[in-house]
Amino acid sequence: MGAVMIEISNAELSVMQVLWQRQPLSANDVVAALGNEKDWHEKTVKTLLNRLVTKGALGFNRDGRAYLYYPLIAQQDYQLEQSRSFVERLFAGRVAPLVAGFASQNKLNADDVQQLKNLIAQWEQEQKHD
């Protein structure tokens, strides 16, 4: 992924997460979806939607008088770029110190460890074929 990733605030990310789960949605649908976890006014959500459209993170189609919003950025692409950026900034691009920190704080469970082992095994297989 060579493109520069769009900067998305934490509030905007909440809106994106709703739209990554279900799309397209009207502004009212997004307000309703966020209503359970956020105490935001409808105007706040509409402002966030407009910002995300301006940034190129969301697109929309007109449906009568309503606008139906949908993501222009895939969730996996955003997560990958943000993870890479985080590891670059805090760990000089090295993943091992990040994982070691979680391990030393007992923040890894058996499933996490098994997933890491599987990822390493898959990576090792791919290296043999290159």
Side-chain angles (χ1 to χ4, degrees), residues 77-98:
D77 291 343
Y78 182 77
Q79 289 171 334
L80 182 62
E81 181 61 24
Q82 290 301 306
S83 299
R84 186 201 56 74
S85 175
F86 175 79
V87 170
E88 283 293 327
R89 285 191 329 267
L90 273 75
F91 298 98
R94 297 189 59 236
V95 175
L98 173 66

Side-chain angles (χ1 to χ4, degrees), residues 8-49:
I8 296 175
S9 72
N10 287 338
E12 293 166 344
L13 184 58
S14 294
V15 171
M16 291 297 295
Q17 287 169 333
V18 167
L19 287 161
W20 279 324
Q21 290 173 9
R22 274 190 343 218
Q23 57 175 293
L25 292 176
S26 69
N28 290 337
D29 291 334
V30 175
V31 169
L34 288 170
N36 296 337
E37 58 188 76
K38 306 284 184 192
D39 188 23
W40 290 343
H41 293 285
E42 180 179 339
K43 186 174 181 179
T44 301
V45 175
K46 288 182 177 180
T47 298
L48 293 170
L49 287 165

